[in-house]
Amino acid sequence: METKKKDIRALTKEQLREFFVQQGDKAFRGNQVYEWLWSKSAHHFDDMTNISKQTRDMLDANFVINHIEVDAMQKSSDGTIKNAVRLHDGLIVESVLIPAKNRTTACVSSQVGCSLDCKFCATARLKRMRNLNPDEIYDQVVAIDQESRLYHDRPLSNIVFMGMGEPLMNYNNVLKAIDKITSPEGLGMSPKRIVVSTSGVPKMIKKMADEEVKFKLAVSLHSAIDEVRTSIMPFNATFPLSDLRESLQYWYAKTKNRITYEYVVWKGINDKRKDVDALVEFCKFAPSKVNLIEYNPIDDGEFQQANNEALDMYVNVLEKNNITVTVRRSRGKDIDAACGQLANKA
Ligand code: SAH
């Protein structure tokens, strides 16, 4: 039986340099191969044209290059593109390209399925199968960047971790992927153009703050009242709002980066004045802004987008309290590519 070869992209640059030294070659060879693996996204050792055939064969005998395949691509009437991405073990995740006037955003997945149990989210029904590796996250970004150049004549400009999964429950790999995305040896993108969106894992928010990360943080809040939040996001019972609040204050104190709260207003769930008042109070704890996002139906009607009156009330009350609020429309709904609709349906 063939022994399982190691994925070469699990090695750091330093480890790759050491490997070549052990082989009696120059450490510099490690730099060359590293560049092929990351900034040039080579899928085969034979693509590495400045590496000798003998060395390529040696690499092939020792390692594999796991890479993703875009299995199916769907285009929405609004220009949004959804990729079903096949991983090396056959599992599928989804990522989305969202074109807008001045930017092109990639929405990427961090896990196959999700371990959280948000009642309004289609991904929650898939359960968590495994974490994505850094290269699998990175490759989604590369694929979207290529599509952006091909279909929209411009490179990708922004990345949001709002696809499948909870990024802070795959923290190490997400950070490693962001490292590659932002490093000049990878894609060289600015961390300021990356948003990590979390349901709110207080311990990990503090850890990120300690590490003084440079990307932006979004929190899917949806309610600032514990009882209501727990009813729609049951893990809130384990990570209550008081802990979340404390971690966000810590985040702001360390990073000076304001926080975005993502918030859907649902009929009969959080559309009353007391809900807005609680949100206003929550927003006062750390500089923040609110994105009111449209609900993308995934079920038989248990959740319904609140009416415009309720949305207007939210906007008015927030603005009166000097809290920045934006109302965002969904993109790619016709192909199930909008927030919370990623469930490997196509
Ligand atoms: N786990 C992370 C990232 C994935 S969800 C998080 O919770 O932030 C990305 C965003 O889509 C979150 O704000 C989430 O609350 C929102 N969302 C989930 N289901 C939705 C739906 N059906 N309609 C609109 N937004 C939804």
Side-chain angles (χ1 to χ4, degrees), residues 114 116 120-122 161-163 165-167 197-199 220 222 262 264 293-298 339-340:
C114 189
L116 300 183
F120 46 82
C121 180
F161 280 79
M162 293 189 190
E166 169 48 51
S197 174
T198 176
S199 294
S220 304
H222 303 308
E262 290 156 275
V264 179
I293 56 183
E294 200 183 331
Y295 176 56
N296 304 305
I298 58 150
C339 284

Side-chain angles (χ1 to χ4, degrees), residues 147-204:
E147 288 169 355
S148 179
R149 289 168 198 267
L150 186 64
Y151 298 107
H152 297 284
D153 286 325
R154 56 188 181 193
L156 178 69
S157 59
N158 295 69
I159 301 173
V160 294
F161 280 79
M162 293 189 190
M164 293 174 159
E166 169 48 51
L168 297 195
M169 296 208 166
N170 184 17
Y171 181 80
N172 288 337
N173 290 353
V174 166
L175 249 67
K176 279 185 193 162
I178 292 179
D179 229 40
K180 297 281 194 297
I181 292 165
T182 53
S183 104
E185 285 165 329
L187 298 178
M189 283 182 72
S190 163
K192 293 199 179 77
R193 292 176 168 273
I194 301 177
V195 178
V196 169
S197 174
T198 176
S199 294
V201 188
K203 201 174 84 186
M204 302 316 286

Side-chain angles (χ1 to χ4, degrees), residues 221-262:
L221 193 61
H222 303 308
S223 174
I225 300 173
D226 267 317
E227 202 187 345
V228 178
R229 196 167 192 260
T230 301
S231 73
I232 53 177
M233 302 170 81
F235 71 89
N236 185 70
T238 320
F239 307 123
L241 287 165
S242 53
D243 290 0
L244 179 60
R245 201 178 67 202
E246 197 221 347
S247 72
L248 293 172
Q249 283 175 314
Y250 189 83
W251 161 270
Y252 186 77
K254 286 260 174 178
T255 67
K256 293 284 174 282
N257 261 335
R258 77 172 173 171
I259 302 142
T260 300
Y261 296 122
E262 290 156 275

